[in-house]
Amino acid sequence: MTKFTMLSRKVAHATASAMLLAVLAAPVAAYAGAADDRGAIPAVIEQTTSSVVAIIGKPADNRKVWAANRYNLAHGTGVIVRSEGYILTNAHVVKDMRNITVVLADGKSYTGKTTHYDEESDLALVKIEATGLTAAKFASPSDIKVGEPVMAIGTPLSFALRNSVTYGIVSGMDRAVQSKYQLIQTDAAINPGNSGGALLNMKGEVIGINTLKFVEYGVDSLNFAIPVNTVQHVLDHFFKYGKVKRPYLGVELGESWEAVVGIPSSNGLEVTYVEPDSPAAKAGIKQGDVLLAIESSPTGTLVQYNEALKNYLPQQKVKLTLKSGGTQRVAEVLLGEDESSATSLVRDADGSYIDADQGKTHIGDSYYGWSMKYPAGLIKKEQDSDGQSVSFADAKGEYAIDIEIENDQSADLSPLGLLRKLEAQHHGDTILEKRYVDQKSDPYAVIVGKSSYGGQMYQSRAFLRGDKIFYILLTVYSEEMYNNNFKRNSFNDLLDSFLLSYDEKNAGLKDISVHQSTNTILTDYGITFDVPADWSTNGWGSSLSYQSEEADKGLVVSVTSASSGDTLKDWSTRDAENFTRKFVSDYRKASEPRETTIDGVPAIEMDYAFTMGDKWQYMHAIYLIRDKYKYGMVLTYTDESNKKSIDELAESLKASVHFVKDSANRSLGVIQDEAELSSSSRTVTYTSKKYRYAVKAPEFWYGGYERDKDPIVKSFLFQGGGMTVTSDDSGDLQGKFTALEKEYKKNAEADSAYTYKTSDEELFGTSVKKFATQYKSRNVPYTQEDYVWEKNGVAYTARLRINDAVKTDEQWKLLNDTLRSMAFTEK
């Protein structure tokens, strides 16, 4: 498959022979006259290698169940650009890297921190606390020529191969390859791990930063670097502004067929979309126009367009040459600022050191209550979702350990029974030792054997505790190694360290339990957060909801687009006003808004409560606006005694919230906030063809949009009430009236507090019988009115019901207006 690949490297532990094989298999670049330069290479390397560093870290992994392999590391290369510890590398090197360690050419290592990041150019800065470093020298962009000899310095394949040097030429300039900007092409061999390394000329000057290689069977030495002019442009912005300030036009552009396939073209870029109120819109640029040039720079391709914009800053004026129809014209545009490319990285660091398990001498499971020694070479490979099975491997590939927990065993299982259960797991193997070790603490059954499948040696132990059997299996892949006294003693020491206990106070004990207190939720909306691990999830669309096992607590997260000019204060005030308008004052409570900050983003918190007359429902609402999206987070609970735990949960939720631009789905677009479109004055017409009526219901009620069905019973509902229409095309008006009268009388006989009135009214041009009551059911007071009438051979019943909690003047009027909006047609 043809593809370009970034040159950072994610590696698990590999044997030296495997790495050597990979190096020997790499293509070697050569060209005529190359030998003339080789005498100068050692001197150039000696001059420049101290400016090139290796960067290593842990791959970012938000999955808490599957803990990262401690030897599963990511690495790349960097170039020192300032002597006080600023190192330039590729953005893709540090994008998914945490616990960064930087190693200089002399072997000294430092903890690193990403300080500047720009994904558009694929460049980033890492800072280490060091001074007196040797900063690289940059070549003049005009001095770079096709055919000149170059060297690449980097960390290919393995961190152990840092500061490797390869040799080649500049194969091409101004290449447009999977990049926003132009790249340098070279045949100097560069491989995964070279990302961020230096491409040098024979003066020892940096002409580019290695970033991509072309990968396809049969294709060799097709590699690319970010040219020095782009590098210097980005560095200048990093140190001046803290980010790359990019101008913004507000247009989407399409390339011509020639540009797409790489044929030189002067056709320009077609404007396929113009954002409202954008600089382009204000300058009169319209869809269908063709952009030919920015000032004097032609724009035949998107890369040319981006290269041209590099020369300008936001708030500068530029002249655009456009073709509209058959006419060419010049438009002056005041450039805006593109905020979409600004990216902040979120670090979920387990510590400052690259090995997050440093200082952990033991490993165990707090939920199942076991622990054992944790040698530096041990790697957790797999763990099932309930934590009852976990496997480890030695980094050198010498041995493996498997732990398995079997439930529902007899608590009085005898030593013989335990030994037989253990033996059954190794049926067909050569058993070399089998016994029961009746020690004071944690007695166990043990079998030493040789596998009938691969000939590996193993030692298997079984422990009984309560209704669970704990099996621990050591597999040694070499019989010779197992029989080595020194090795066997170390294996036995490891097995002897297995205990059916877990010491919470031991800071050196690493907990691998999958039964954690929280789960991290990764979304397509650019936001991550934690919820309690035992909460279940549901939800759809742009809403995500979670609830506790008892369903007494929950969280709803909604994401919608922020309208132009909308503010956090306006949004929360609007929400509070809607809440106040919905409930009668005695049935609602609302706190004053409180300003806070979440992940560096301003936020507002409010508490709401409402009741229908029985139990109160409580809500803790959080409002955030970030990157043109509104994030609403509402914690719900049903018992005021839970207020303290909800406050603690809210603090935990706020602390867990992170906005990660890279996590947002690339197709994420406008998500309309329906509340901004909704109005109590707007209605939707529902028509029943079969029962020959139409009704205009408020559009924010439920049920008005179901137009394709003709149910006998049709409801139009809102929180705490609604209207239900029942139709009978048999025309049995008396039957409807009798059934309704019987229902009311039965309720009155059952409870003396239940009273009702009947009356006759004129509605819809006919006589209508009305039943009305005000009652309290399960402490929920409500008003109910039933209307019965016949029209054009159809008998209708309309029931209006509304809880007193939401019986505001506005809502009651809407309910009655909906009834009176009914219209009827003849056959």
Side-chain angles (χ1 to χ4, degrees), residues 684-688 693-695 703-704 706-707 709-711 714 716:
V684 58
T685 301
Y686 171 83
T687 302
S688 174
Y693 72 88
V695 60
E706 298 176 12
R707 302 184 181 185
K709 297 179 180 179
D710 284 304
K714 176 63 182 173
F716 307 90

Side-chain angles (χ1 to χ4, degrees), residues 376-398:
L378 202 62
I379 305 164
K380 193 183 82 167
K381 300 292 288 183
E382 290 185 75
Q383 187 173 18
D384 64 7
S385 59
D386 63 7
Q388 289 186 237
S389 176
V390 59
S391 62
F392 301 90
D394 170 52
K396 297 178 180 179
E398 294 179 349

Side-chain angles (χ1 to χ4, degrees), residues 339-350:
E339 299 287 356
S340 65
S341 62
T343 305
S344 62
L345 295 184
V346 174
R347 297 287 177 239
D348 182 23
D350 294 322

Side-chain angles (χ1 to χ4, degrees), residues 61 87 101 108 114 128 176 205 237 280 345 363 437 462 519 546 608 631 739 825-826:
D61 189 349
I87 294 158
T101 293
K108 291 181 181 178
T114 303
I128 62 174
E205 299 169 329
H237 279 235
L345 295 184
I363 196 165
V437 180
N519 280 335
Y546 311 87
Y608 300 96
Y631 299 87
T825 58
E826 298 181 3

